[in-house]
Amino acid sequence: MPLHALRQEILPASGVEFATSLKLTPSTLIALPTPENATARQELVSRVICNVVVARSNLLRIFEVREEPCPIQNQADDERERRSKVRRGTEAVEGEVAMDEQGDGFINIAKSQKCPTHTPTVTRFYFVREHHLHGIVTGIEGVKIMSSLEDRLDRLLISFKDAKIALLEWSDAVHDLITVSIHTYERAPQLMSIDSSLFRTELRTDPISRCAALSLPRHALAILPFYQSQAELEVMDQDQSQAKDVPYSPSFILDLPAQVDQNIRNVIDFAFLPGFNNPTIALLFQTQQTWTGRLREFKDTVRLVIFTLDIVTQNYPIIKSIEGLPHDCLALLPCGTSLGGVVIISSNAIIYVDQSSKRVVLPVNGWVSRISDLPLPSLTPEEQSRNICLEGSRAVFVDDRNLFVILKDGTVYPLEIVVDGKTVSKLTMSPPLAQTSIPSVLRKLDEDHFLVGSSVGPSVLLKAAHIEEEIAEDHDMEAAPATVVYDADDMEFDDDDDIYGPSKVVSEPTTNNLANGKTVTKKTRTVIHLSLRDSLPAYGPISDMTFSLAKNGDRPVPELVAATGSGFLGGFTLFQRDLPVRTKRKLHVIGGARGLWSLPIRQPVKASGISYEKAVNPFQAENDSLIISTDINPSPGLSRIATKSGKNDIMITARIPGTTIGAAPFFQRTTVLHVMTNALRVLEPDGTERQIIKDMDGNMPRPRIRACSISDPFVLILREDDSIGLFIGETERGKIRRKDMSPMGDKSSRYLAGCFYTDTTGLLESNFENSTTPVGMTSTLSAAVNAGSKGQWLVLVRPQGIVELWTLPKLTLGFSTDGLTSLQNVLVDSHDPPAPSLPQDPPRKPQEFDVEQILFAPIGESSPRPHLCVFLRSGQLTIYEILPLGRTTEVLPKVRPAHVKIKFVKISSMAFEIQRPEEGEKGIIAEQKRIYRMFVPFVTSPSPGVTFSGVFFTGDRPNWIFGTDKGGVQIYPSGHAVVNAFTPCSLFESKGDFLMYTEEGPSLLEWLPDFHYDGPLPLRSVPRGRAYSSLVFDPSTSLLVAASSLQAKFASYDDDDNKIWEPETPNIGNPMCDTSTLELISPDMWITMDGFEFATNEYINDVACVTLETAGTEVGSKDFIAVGTTIDRGEDLAARGATYIYEIVEVVPDPAVSPKRWYKLRLRCRDDAKGPVTAVCGFHGYLVSSMGQKIFVRAFDSDERLVGVAFMDVGVYVTSLRTLKNLLLVGDAVKSLSFIAFQEDPYKLVLLGKDTDHVCVTNADFFFTAGELSLVTGDEDGIMRMYEYNPQDPDSRDGRYLLLRTEFHGQSEYRTSTTIARRLKDDPSIPQAKLIIGATDGCLSSLTPVEEHAFKRLQLLQGQLTRNIQHVAGLNPKAFRIVRNDFVSKPLSKGILDGNLLAHYESLPITRQNEMTRQIGTDRVTLLRDWIALSGAW
C-alpha cells in the first residue's frame, strides 16, 4: 500500500521579488486619526501615502505606507538603542557636524546650514492583508479602470507563471481583495512549445492604464486593453449593458515577428513609454544570439524597437528602430515625458537612447571597448579607472534627470543625465553613496520615497528628499560636492544616515537681508538627501538547515538553525516553534492554580472628599504593587494577597477563605475590587475590607458567580444560571452600588458572556451616531478624574447567540449581530432592538456553539487596534478586527436611535480538541480537574522602544495572541502543556514580566530578547556578513560546523607557473570564482571558535557528521566531520575534488577569550579525487562519498587514511546521498533516483531499484511509518515525487524499477531537508518520519505521513474546498498542484494532500463547514480532529 502524506507550509516564502505601489484601500484617500498627544503642527502629517503590494513565489502581502509625526525624543533614543544591538553601529564620518534636533537625522555637512522648516516625520509600513495564492506570481501592477473614476481607487493586476492575469479590487465590505476577472493564456499555441516551462512571463502596464501586456514564449505578447471612458466604450463595444461589469475589451495575443517586425526574436525586456497618444512599447531583443566566444562573428546584436499599439484597428506601426547595441543588454528603463527616450542597462555600460535615435554611452568598466563597437565619449581619469559590474543591478528614477543604480551587492550609485539645451550631452555617475539591501526590484512610491525590494534579505524604504541649501558668497560653485561619499559599511541598514545626491545651483535674490541698502543675492543648490525610513524583515533563501539544542533560560528546546541570505546579507536564522520565554524565578509561595492578578494599587490622597492616587516618580507609576492569587484547595478555596518585600522577595500580607473570580484596581487605582463566588468586596491596598456586597436576592443566596469583568467604575458579574449583575462605583463615597439595567430588558435576562471595553483608540466613539442625545459616552465623575480615559462600552452575548454593544453609563444599544455563533467572516449591525433572553423552563442546557469566552481588547504594536477574541464551546477560537463600516449605500432602518458604524472582520481562526468531563464526574473532583480557558489581555515591552499589546489564552494548548506592525496578528503556542492562570506582572519593576501558573507551579517569566514575531514562527537573526552553503550539528559537542560561501579572484597558470592572463588596465578585473571556509561555531555566543581555509579555487559541496571506526575511543567509533569539495582549474582542465575528515577536539580555553570549554577542528585526513566530491554521508562506521559518476564506500583506517571497500556507477552527477540502516538513496542530476543496499560480508553494493525516467533530483529522502516506506525526491522545478519499492508489483520488474506513485508541485526548488521523529498519541513507541523542507525562496514546509482513513476524509474535503470556496485571483488549486507527465494517462496527484488548501477549512464559518462535511458523509468534529493531529511545525 503506498504511503500517504500531507504537505503544508510552516513558513511562507521570504523576501520581495515583485512590488508595486498604488492607492488600493480607502484609507489612502482619508486622513488618519491624530495621536492623543499630537501638537497642532503634528496634526497635518498623519497620512497614508499609498499601499505597497509585494509578492514572492505564492505569497501576496498588502501594506500601508504611513507618514507619521516623529516619536517623542526618548522613544527615538530607545529605538536607536534597540537597533544598535542588532545592527552594526556607525561612526561619525569626516565632516559630520551635528545631527538635526528634530529627529530626521539629516547630517548637515555644507558650509552654510539651513534648518529644515518642515515637520519631522517617520514613514512606516503597516500590514493590511496577506494571501497564500494557488499560483506563482511573476508580476504585479496597479491600474485604473472606469470605476476608478467613481471611487478614486486603483485596481491590482497580477500575472502568474502559467500565463494568467488576474484583475483584483479592494472590497471595503469584506476588507479584502475580490477578483474582478482572470485571463488565461495557458492554452495559447505559444505555451505548447517544449521549452515553455523554462520561460517566465513578465507583466507591464501602460502608464495611464490603457492596457497591460504579458510576455509569452516564442516572441509574443498578450495584450489586455482597459476601457478608460464611456466614449471609448461606445467605439469599442456596442453592448453597453456590461460597461460597469466588464472594465476591459477582449484581450488578444500579439505575435511580434508576424505583426510588428519579422526580426523580433529572443525578447530581453520591454516597457511602455509615457507621453504618447496611443500605448507605445519599447522592445529590446536579439535576433542573432551570441556570446563572448563568438564576438568575432557576431557583435552588437541587440536591437531596440519602439512601436505603437492601435488596438481598435489592430495596427502596430514602428516609430523607431535602433540597431548595434551591445549583446549583453539587460534591461530597459523608460524616461519621463520631459526628457523622453529610454535608458538601457547592459553588463558594462549604461546607454541613453533619445527619440531621435541618438545614443549616449557611459561605460562603467573597460570591457565595453573590447566587446562592442559603440562610439565611446572621452572619459576623465576617474571614470577610466572605474570597474563596476552591472549584472544583477536595478535602477530607478528619483526625478526626471537623476536615477539611482543599485548593484547586486547593494551599493548605491547616483547617475545624472546632463542636458545641454534640449539634447542629452552626457551621463555622469558619482561615487557610491551607500550600501543598502541586495535588490530584486526597485519601485518609486511617490515623489520622495522608493522601495528596494530584496529576495535575499530585508527590503528597505528609502527617502530621496530634494532639499534647497544656501551656498555662501565665497563658496566656489564648481567645487560644491555633487555627493558626500560614505563608507558603505557605515550605511548598511543604518537608520540615521542621509546622503547628498546630485546638486544643482540656483540663484535666488532675497530682499529681507539688506546690507548698506543693497540686495544680497543668496545662492542655493538642490541636494538629494537619501535616508532609510523603514524596512520589511526577511531572511531570504534557505541553503541548509539543522536542528540544534537551545537553552531558554534553564530549559532546553529544539531550535531550527537555517543558513539563510546571500552575500553580505548572509548569516543564520534561528526558528523556534513556541514563543521563547525563560523562567526568572519560581514563586511557589503564592499558589494561584485558579487565578493570578497583578495590580498597580497606590496609597490614596484625599482632597475635597475624593480619593486620588498618590503622585510618585512617573517612571515607576505604572509598576504593580500587589498580587492576588486563588486556589480551589482547601475547600471552599483560598485567596492570598502578596506584596514585594525589601529584598525582592514575596510576602503574603493577607489570606482570605474562598475562591477569587476576578480582581482589578478601582477608584483610580486606590483600592482593589475583589469578586468572589458569592460577594463583591472593595479592599484597601493593605487587604482590609472597605465594603462588601453579598450577591443575594433578598435573603436568598443567588447562584455562584462564575465570571466577571471589571473596568473602573463598572463591574459586571455572570452567575452560573447565566444571569448577570451590573455595579457602578461612586467616587465621592468610595463605595459601589447596583446599577439599573432596565434598558437591557428584563432583569432576569440570561447572558452567556460579557466584558467591558475602554475605547482607547476612539474608533467606536468616532463612529457612534445617536439621533436622540449628543455623543457623550462616560460622563461620570470618575471619568473626569481619569482625564485620559476614553468612552467605555459593554459587550454582552445572549444565549441565542446575539452579541450586543452597549454604551456606558447610559446603556444605549449601539450594535447588535447574530452571526457570531456561526463565526461569519464579516459581522455587521443588524439594527435590531435589544433581544429578549428570559430564563427557560426547564433550564437551558449548554449548546455546542455557545460562546464560552469573549474579550474586546487592543492588539498590535505601535498603534494597537481593537479586536474581538471569541472562544466557542465547540473549541473554535476566532479573532475579529474591528473596523469602521466604510462607505455603505443601504438605508438604515429606523428601528434603533443609536448606531455604531463598525464591522467585525475575521482575521484568524483556530480549532481546539475539547475533552468533555465524563457525565458521572461531578462535584469537587470534577471541579479540580477542570482547566479554565480564559482570555487575559496584556501589554509588554520585551526590549526598549518595543511594545506589544495582545491577549493570552489559558488552558491546555495555551497560546499568545498579539500583533506586529509588519506581520499582523499572530498566534504562538506558549510551549507549556497547560497554563491555569496568567497575568502580566511589573511587581519586580520590569515591563516584560509575566506571572504564570503552569504544570510546574507559579513562575515569573520573561520573553527572550532579539526575537522577531512577524511570521508564523518566532525567529532570531544572526547576521554574519557572509552566506553559508552547508551546516551540520555535532551532537557530541553541541557545536555547529558551517561552510561559508565566498568569492575570490581566479587566475590560470601554465606549466611554468606563469599567469596565462592578467588584466592590463585598472578598469578590467580578474574573474571571480567560488571559495569556501569551514567554521566551527558555538551556538551559545555565535562566535567562530576555529576555522579552516581552502585554496582560492576550492569550494565545499557537502558537509556531514559521520560516525567512523576509530581505535581512540572505548566504544571503537567516534563522530567526525566529512567534507566534499570541488577544485576549479579553468575551462580548459577538468575539475577535481577532495574528501576531508576533521575531528572536533577540546583544547585548553584562553581565559581572555572564554572561561568555558573551547574546541578546535583537527584535520585527520585529506583524500584527493579525480572529480568533484559532490555528496558525503556515513553508515555502519563507513564513509559514503560520490565522485563524478561513482559512489564509494570507504573505511577510516588508523585514523589517518580512507580505504575503499566498495563502489558503484550510479549516474552523471550525484546531488544527494541519504542512508537508513544499510540502505542508501542516491539522487542524481540526470539519472533521477537509485535505491541501493550495502552488505559487509563480502563488501558489496547492490542496486535494488532505480527510476527509469530522466529527472534532475536536487534532494532525496526516506519517508516511512511503522510498516511502510516511500522514497521522496524534489527536483529543480519544485516538483515532489513519491516512489515505492515493491518487488511484488509486476510493473516493477521484480523490484528493479522504482514505482512512481505521486507527483505534487511544491512551487519552489529545495536543496535541504531534515527528518524528525513524529510520535503518535496512541502508539508513541514507534515514531514516524516527518520531513522538514527548506526551499530556495525561503519557504519552510513539512511532509507528514497520514493514516489511510484520515487521508480519505481529508482528500474528499480537499475536493469540496477546491470547488466550493472563492479562491483569491480565481485560481484553481487542483491545477496548481498537477504535474505534467507524458508517460502516464492521468496525473498522479492523489498521494499528497495540499495543506495550504485544507487550512481554509478551519477558518470557514461553521455553517459552511457543516455544509461541506454533510456532502462527504462525515462531521466537522472528526475532520477538525484529523487536522489538529496533523498540524504543528514539529
Side-chain angles (χ1 to χ4, degrees):
M1 186 69 204
L3 202 53
H4 303 299
L6 166 73
R7 188 257 183 202
Q8 54 186 335
E9 277 183 21
I10 301 170
L11 289 170
S14 174
V16 172
E17 198 173 359
F18 303 97
T20 192
S21 120
L22 70 168
K23 292 192 180 295
L24 182 69
T25 62
S27 61
T28 56
L29 307 176
I30 56 173
L32 287 175
T34 314
E36 295 173 37
N37 55 356
T39 60
R41 69 181 180 82
Q42 287 177 326
E43 289 184 7
L44 304 172
V45 294
S46 276
R47 67 185 181 108
V48 177
I49 295 173
C50 62
N51 293 111
V52 167
V53 183
V54 299
R56 175 85 198 268
S57 190
N58 68 327
L59 179 70
L60 185 80
R61 291 180 292 163
I62 305 168
F63 294 92
E64 281 180 354
V65 180
R66 287 191 211 157
E67 195 170 48
E68 300 172 333
C70 274
I72 51 178
Q73 195 59 41
N74 62 349
Q75 285 181 0
D77 292 341
D78 286 345
E79 181 86 357
R80 202 167 292 124
E81 180 189 336
R82 175 178 71 88
R83 294 188 182 214
S84 69
K85 292 179 182 174
V86 292
R87 294 189 182 142
R88 224 175 312 173
T90 58
E91 286 126 26
V93 295
E94 187 182 350
E96 179 174 331
V97 180
M99 293 294 287
D100 172 10
E101 290 300 313
Q102 271 90 32
D104 255 17
F106 287 150
I107 303 168
N108 292 311
I109 304 174
K111 284 190 180 176
S112 83
Q113 298 181 2
K114 185 177 182 180
C115 291
T117 54
H118 66 281
T119 305
T121 59
V122 291
T123 315
R124 293 279 180 261
F125 288 113
Y126 286 92
F127 175 86
V128 178
R129 273 282 187 178
E130 75 173 16
H131 287 289
H132 298 255
L133 306 176
H134 301 291
I136 297 171
V137 177
T138 60
I140 45 180
E141 297 284 350
V143 294
K144 294 184 189 305
I145 57 175
M146 273 183 62
S147 48
S148 300
L149 300 172
E150 297 171 13
D151 58 19
R152 295 184 295 148
L153 295 175
D154 300 338
R155 271 51 179 174
L156 185 65
L157 207 58
I158 311 177
S159 67
F160 297 94
K161 187 178 177 182
D162 49 356
K164 294 187 176 87
I165 304 178
L167 179 65
L168 299 98
E169 67 182 9
W170 184 263
S171 166
D172 211 24
V174 296
H175 193 66
D176 205 352
L177 290 172
I178 56 170
T179 309
V180 177
S181 61
I182 183 161
H183 310 262
T184 176
Y185 307 97
E186 56 191 339
R187 297 188 185 278
Q190 286 82 358
L191 270 294
M192 297 300 165
S193 58
I194 298 170
D195 60 347
S196 64
S197 60
L198 303 174
F199 186 86
R200 193 176 83 168
T201 56
E202 295 197 2
L203 180 69
R204 302 282 186 272
T205 55
D206 181 59
I208 53 174
S209 302
R210 290 171 293 194
C211 66
L214 182 74
S215 62
L216 298 178
R218 303 181 67 126
H219 340 295
L221 298 177
I223 307 291
L224 176 62
F226 295 108
Y227 296 131
Q228 291 299 303
S229 64
Q230 193 67 33
E232 191 176 313
L233 185 66
E234 288 163 11
V235 172
M236 299 187 72
D237 191 356
Q238 298 307 312
D239 182 12
Q240 295 176 33
S241 61
Q242 298 180 342
K244 291 287 169 71
D245 302 331
V246 184
Y248 48 84
S249 59
S251 64
F252 59 92
I253 291 177
L254 179 63
D255 188 334
L256 296 168
Q259 296 176 268
V260 181
D261 183 343
Q262 62 183 13
N263 294 315
I264 296 180
R265 298 272 188 285
N266 312 309
V267 175
I268 299 167
D269 196 12
F270 70 103
F272 283 91
L273 302 183
F276 286 86
N277 290 332
N278 282 328
T280 302
I281 292 179
L283 194 77
L284 199 63
F285 65 95
Q286 189 175 22
T287 310
Q288 174 64 57
Q289 290 183 302
T290 187
W291 64 292
T292 48
R294 294 187 72 198
L295 290 181
R296 286 175 183 248
E297 289 81 20
F298 299 104
K299 187 189 282 190
D300 294 336
T301 52
V302 170
R303 298 173 60 182
L304 175 71
V305 162
I306 299 175
F307 64 93
T308 296
L309 297 176
D310 192 338
I311 294 167
V312 177
T313 62
Q314 300 278 301
N315 193 19
Y316 315 104
I318 293 176
I319 301 172
K320 284 277 180 285
S321 179
I322 296 106
E323 298 183 358
L325 297 171
H327 75 280
D328 57 354
C329 290
L330 302 169
L332 271 178
L333 202 62
C335 300
T337 49
S338 64
L339 194 63
V342 294
V343 171
I344 299 171
I345 311 281
S346 75
S347 300
N348 308 304
I350 298 172
I351 306 160
Y352 171 76
V353 181
D354 69 8
Q355 291 168 339
S356 63
S357 304
K358 178 188 171 186
R359 289 172 287 189
V360 181
V361 183
L362 175 69
V364 296
N365 58 41
W367 286 108
V368 184
S369 58
R370 291 164 173 78
I371 65 165
S372 171
D373 292 334
L374 276 175
L376 300 180
S378 57
L379 301 175
T380 64
E382 183 191 340
E383 289 174 330
Q384 286 175 5
S385 61
R386 183 183 288 136
N387 185 14
I388 297 173
C389 181
L390 294 177
E391 276 117 335
S393 67
R394 299 289 186 271
V396 65
F397 276 96
V398 288
D399 58 29
D400 286 344
R401 296 178 187 177
N402 292 295
L403 65 153
F404 285 147
V405 179
I406 304 182
L407 305 189
K408 64 180 178 184
D409 64 354
T411 311
V412 183
Y413 282 88
L415 184 77
E416 186 175 7
I417 301 174
V418 180
V419 179
D420 188 3
K422 289 191 174 181
T423 60
V424 172
S425 58
K426 63 175 180 175
L427 306 177
T428 61
M429 181 179 274
S430 304
L433 297 182
Q435 187 171 21
T436 181
S437 199
I438 295 173
S440 295
V441 60
L442 291 186
R443 274 296 173 133
K444 193 169 181 183
L445 307 188
D446 67 348
E447 290 306 311
D448 292 343
H449 297 86
F450 65 96
L451 174 74
V452 183
S454 176
S455 58
V456 296
S459 300
V460 296
L461 178 65
L462 297 177
K463 183 173 183 179
H466 295 71
I467 307 291
E468 294 286 328
E469 285 198 347
E470 290 180 16
I471 299 174
E473 277 290 303
D474 59 346
H475 193 80
D476 182 3
M477 292 282 191
E478 297 304 318
T483 59
V484 177
V485 181
Y486 268 61
D487 179 5
D489 287 340
D490 279 353
M491 177 56 186
E492 182 186 322
F493 292 120
D494 198 280
D495 254 5
D496 298 315
D497 284 330
D498 288 80
I499 295 92
Y500 287 75
S503 61
K504 303 170 200 163
V505 178
V506 184
S507 289
E508 181 186 284
T510 61
T511 53
N512 56 356
N513 255 346
L514 295 177
N516 300 327
K518 293 180 183 178
T519 304
V520 179
T521 302
K522 285 186 180 176
K523 296 174 180 176
T524 65
R525 60 185 180 132
T526 302
V527 176
I528 295 178
H529 287 249
L530 181 67
S531 59
L532 175 67
R533 310 306 278 176
D534 201 6
S535 65
L536 292 176
Y539 50 83
I542 298 174
S543 49
D544 201 3
M545 62 186 182
T546 184
F547 274 98
S548 79
L549 207 58
K551 282 212 163 182
N552 293 352
D554 298 328
R555 187 174 170 209
V557 294
E559 185 170 67
L560 185 68
V561 182
T564 56
S566 175
F568 75 94
L569 295 178
F572 301 116
T573 306
L574 320 177
F575 301 99
Q576 291 195 16
R577 183 190 63 181
D578 309 321
L579 189 132
V581 296
R582 64 174 164 227
T583 304
K584 293 178 79 171
R585 60 195 296 183
K586 302 277 188 186
L587 297 171
H588 289 295
V589 66
I590 63 171
R594 265 291 174 262
L596 289 164
W597 296 267
S598 182
L599 311 176
I601 306 298
R602 302 282 159 258
Q603 292 296 331
V605 176
K606 284 216 170 188
S608 308
I610 301 175
S611 291
Y612 303 92
E613 60 178 296
K614 186 178 176 183
V616 289
N617 182 337
F619 295 106
Q620 298 173 349
E622 295 299 320
N623 285 344
D624 298 340
S625 57
L626 61 87
I627 295 170
I628 296 179
S629 60
T630 188
D631 292 89
I632 202 164
N633 285 332
S635 185
L638 177 66
S639 300
R640 303 176 182 86
I641 298 179
T643 58
K644 186 178 68 169
S645 65
K647 297 178 182 177
N648 263 3
D649 288 334
I650 287 288
M651 180 173 65
I652 306 292
T653 57
R655 288 180 172 82
I656 305 159
T659 308
T660 302
I661 300 300
F666 217 67
F667 294 128
Q668 293 78 54
R669 301 192 300 182
T670 57
T671 60
V672 179
L673 194 111
H674 186 215
V675 179
M676 305 187 73
T677 51
N678 57 359
L680 284 78
R681 308 163 76 229
V682 179
L683 305 180
E684 303 290 357
D686 59 0
T688 56
E689 188 177 288
R690 179 194 290 186
Q691 181 193 9
I692 180 165
I693 297 183
K694 292 196 183 302
D695 193 30
M696 308 278 281
D697 186 5
N699 294 325
M700 296 288 293
R702 293 183 190 268
R704 290 168 35 153
I705 298 170
R706 62 175 170 86
C708 70
S709 179
I710 308 167
S711 175
D712 189 9
F714 300 103
V715 185
L716 172 73
I717 59 170
L718 291 104
R719 306 184 185 93
E720 289 185 344
D721 67 345
D722 293 342
S723 61
I724 65 167
L726 190 60
F727 299 83
I728 184 168
E730 297 180 335
T731 306
E732 301 87 340
R733 294 173 53 224
K735 301 283 182 75
I736 59 170
R737 62 171 174 81
R738 292 185 186 273
K739 176 163 173 51
D740 176 42
M741 298 188 294
S742 55
M744 294 157 53
D746 194 282
K747 67 177 182 180
S748 63
S749 295
R750 298 299 193 242
Y751 302 88
L752 296 180
C755 70
F756 292 110
Y757 173 63
T758 304
D759 187 18
T760 51
T761 61
L763 175 70
L764 302 186
E765 197 165 352
S766 61
N767 288 284
F768 181 70
E769 286 186 4
N770 194 343
S771 55
T772 55
T773 57
V775 178
M777 298 302 108
T778 312
S779 55
T780 59
L781 179 59
S782 65
V785 173
N786 276 343
S789 75
K790 296 282 183 179
Q792 287 169 290
W793 301 74
L794 174 61
V795 184
L796 288 171
V797 184
R798 298 191 185 254
Q800 62 267 47
I802 292 175
V803 179
E804 297 177 344
L805 196 58
W806 296 82
T807 68
L808 288 170
K810 299 256 175 97
L811 287 179
T812 309
L813 181 60
F815 186 93
S816 172
T817 180
D818 58 358
L820 187 67
T821 48
S822 58
L823 301 179
Q824 297 299 319
N825 291 332
V826 180
L827 306 176
V828 293
D829 195 351
S830 63
H831 305 291
D832 291 331
S837 54
L838 295 172
Q840 298 178 6
D841 192 23
R844 178 182 181 276
K845 289 190 174 179
Q847 308 288 315
E848 185 184 7
F849 300 119
D850 281 356
V851 174
E852 195 167 283
Q853 289 290 330
I854 191 166
L855 180 71
F856 231 110
I859 294 177
E861 189 179 346
S862 58
S863 53
R865 306 180 70 131
H867 287 72
L868 180 71
C869 302
V870 182
F871 184 71
L872 300 190
R873 199 167 173 272
S874 62
Q876 202 82 11
L877 166 67
T878 301
I879 299 153
Y880 286 91
E881 185 178 359
I882 290 87
L883 295 157
L885 187 60
R887 291 172 294 190
T888 176
T889 52
E890 60 178 293
V891 180
L892 296 183
K894 292 290 181 185
V895 179
R896 256 193 355 242
H899 303 279
V900 188
K901 291 190 167 182
I902 56 172
K903 59 176 178 280
F904 294 70
V905 179
K906 188 196 292 187
I907 55 169
S908 191
S909 197
M910 179 179 180
F912 288 75
E913 195 171 342
I914 299 297
Q915 302 291 338
R916 298 266 177 241
E918 276 76 29
E919 288 296 320
E921 285 194 27
K922 298 280 184 190
I924 295 171
I925 304 292
E927 184 64 26
Q928 287 183 351
K929 281 186 179 178
R930 188 174 168 198
I931 298 168
Y932 284 89
R933 288 188 169 92
M934 295 183 71
F935 293 116
V936 185
F938 68 86
V939 177
T940 182
S941 295
S943 55
V946 180
T947 303
F948 294 113
S949 303
V951 175
F952 187 85
F953 188 51
T954 67
D956 59 349
R957 273 184 77 196
N959 287 275
W960 300 88
I961 304 164
F962 62 95
T964 64
D965 289 342
K966 296 162 194 169
V969 173
Q970 305 290 346
I971 303 178
Y972 295 118
S974 80
H976 300 94
V978 62
V979 172
N980 299 77
F982 168 92
T983 181
C985 174
S986 57
L987 189 68
F988 300 96
E989 296 179 3
S990 168
K991 288 291 176 196
D993 286 358
F994 300 96
L995 199 54
M996 221 183 255
Y997 193 101
T998 67
E999 64 271 20
E1000 299 169 2
S1003 309
L1004 189 70
L1005 307 168
E1006 68 175 352
W1007 290 5
L1008 286 182
D1010 301 330
F1011 272 83
H1012 301 283
Y1013 305 103
D1014 295 313
L1017 291 181
L1019 65 89
R1020 181 158 68 97
S1021 289
V1022 182
R1024 304 280 294 178
R1026 55 193 175 277
Y1028 291 84
S1029 58
S1030 299
L1031 184 65
V1032 294
F1033 177 72
D1034 179 56
S1036 57
T1037 60
S1038 295
L1039 299 176
L1040 292 167
V1041 180
S1044 66
S1045 179
L1046 306 167
Q1047 292 274 297
K1049 291 179 180 177
F1050 180 82
S1052 289
Y1053 295 85
D1054 60 17
D1055 296 337
D1056 299 328
D1057 287 342
N1058 297 317
K1059 282 189 182 179
I1060 296 174
W1061 178 84
E1062 282 189 86
E1064 61 268 27
T1065 56
N1067 59 1
I1068 297 259
N1070 273 299
M1072 306 298 282
C1073 68
D1074 290 322
T1075 187
S1076 293
T1077 60
L1078 193 68
E1079 298 179 24
L1080 181 66
I1081 296 168
S1082 161
D1084 294 336
M1085 300 168 282
W1086 292 103
I1087 56 171
T1088 301
M1089 292 181 151
D1090 194 21
F1092 186 88
E1093 288 192 16
F1094 293 86
T1096 54
N1097 61 335
E1098 184 173 11
Y1099 56 89
I1100 294 173
N1101 296 314
D1102 198 13
V1103 180
C1105 183
V1106 297
T1107 305
L1108 301 177
E1109 292 178 0
T1110 177
T1113 61
E1114 292 179 11
V1115 293
S1117 63
K1118 190 177 189 302
D1119 287 342
F1120 292 90
I1121 303 297
V1123 176
T1125 68
T1126 294
I1127 302 169
D1128 277 339
R1129 301 190 298 159
E1131 59 189 358
D1132 300 334
L1133 297 169
R1136 293 187 178 276
T1139 307
Y1140 295 81
I1141 303 293
Y1142 293 92
E1143 181 183 8
I1144 299 175
V1145 294
E1146 188 169 1
V1147 295
V1148 178
D1150 180 357
V1153 180
S1154 171
K1156 296 184 177 180
R1157 303 168 76 174
W1158 201 256
Y1159 296 88
K1160 284 196 174 294
L1161 284 171
R1162 180 187 293 165
L1163 177 62
R1164 302 306 300 257
C1165 169
R1166 169 181 166 141
D1167 186 78
D1168 286 315
K1170 293 180 181 177
V1173 179
T1174 54
V1176 289
C1177 68
F1179 60 5
H1180 280 292
Y1182 298 96
L1183 175 72
V1184 185
S1185 62
S1186 69
M1187 186 205 75
Q1189 299 94 333
K1190 293 181 170 59
I1191 55 167
F1192 295 90
V1193 180
R1194 291 183 282 188
F1196 196 35
D1197 183 31
S1198 307
D1199 286 3
E1200 61 183 22
R1201 63 196 184 101
L1202 292 169
V1203 179
V1205 296
F1207 76 93
M1208 176 180 276
D1209 288 334
V1210 286
V1212 176
Y1213 183 95
V1214 174
T1215 56
S1216 173
L1217 288 175
R1218 287 285 188 277
T1219 56
L1220 178 69
K1221 296 184 177 178
N1222 69 326
L1223 300 173
L1224 180 65
L1225 201 55
V1226 182
D1228 190 83
V1230 177
K1231 295 287 189 71
S1232 190
L1233 192 65
S1234 303
F1235 186 36
I1236 297 167
F1238 174 64
Q1239 71 176 41
E1240 291 190 64
D1241 191 16
Y1243 288 118
K1244 190 179 181 184
L1245 285 170
V1246 180
L1247 180 64
L1248 299 177
K1250 65 178 183 178
D1251 183 18
T1252 54
D1253 294 334
H1254 283 197
V1255 174
C1256 177
V1257 170
T1258 57
N1259 203 281
D1261 285 287
F1262 290 100
F1263 188 62
F1264 53 85
T1265 59
E1268 296 168 346
L1269 171 70
S1270 279
L1271 312 174
V1272 177
T1273 67
D1275 75 1
E1276 288 180 310
D1277 297 321
I1279 295 166
M1280 302 175 75
R1281 294 178 173 86
M1282 288 178 68
Y1283 295 87
E1284 186 187 13
Y1285 173 68
N1286 185 0
Q1288 278 79 40
D1289 192 309
D1291 292 340
S1292 73
R1293 310 280 177 92
D1294 299 326
R1296 285 174 294 166
Y1297 295 163
L1298 296 174
L1299 301 171
L1300 177 60
R1301 296 298 192 195
T1302 300
E1303 293 180 299
F1304 180 89
H1305 203 299
Q1307 82 222 15
S1308 58
E1309 174 193 358
Y1310 71 93
R1311 292 181 179 271
T1312 178
S1313 61
T1314 185
T1315 307
I1316 58 173
R1318 176 176 180 263
R1319 299 183 187 277
L1320 302 174
K1321 287 182 183 175
D1322 49 0
D1323 187 10
S1325 58
I1326 304 174
Q1328 299 178 341
K1330 179 172 180 173
L1331 288 179
I1332 306 290
I1333 296 164
T1336 52
D1337 63 359
C1339 170
L1340 191 71
S1341 56
S1342 66
L1343 198 67
T1344 313
V1346 183
E1347 178 262 328
E1348 189 177 355
H1349 294 297
F1351 179 83
K1352 287 180 177 174
R1353 285 192 291 269
L1354 291 171
Q1355 193 173 40
L1356 289 169
L1357 175 64
Q1358 189 170 285
Q1360 287 290 322
L1361 289 167
T1362 302
R1363 293 186 293 271
N1364 294 333
I1365 66 172
Q1366 290 281 342
H1367 302 290
V1368 181
L1371 297 166
N1372 183 345
K1374 185 177 178 182
F1376 178 46
R1377 299 302 184 186
I1378 284 177
V1379 177
R1380 177 177 169 177
N1381 187 337
D1382 296 331
F1383 299 100
V1384 293
S1385 57
K1386 61 179 183 178
L1388 302 169
S1389 57
K1390 293 203 171 169
I1392 298 179
L1393 296 168
D1394 184 358
N1396 274 13
L1397 179 58
L1398 290 170
H1400 288 290
Y1401 183 72
E1402 205 173 17
S1403 58
L1404 284 176
I1406 287 170
T1407 48
R1408 295 291 309 276
Q1409 288 181 348
N1410 288 330
E1411 190 182 306
M1412 288 193 182
T1413 50
R1414 201 180 307 118
Q1415 292 176 0
I1416 58 178
T1418 183
D1419 61 283
R1420 62 178 290 279
V1421 176
T1422 308
L1423 278 172
L1424 287 171
R1425 193 177 292 128
D1426 291 339
W1427 178 247
I1428 292 166
L1430 292 166
S1431 57
W1434 51 76

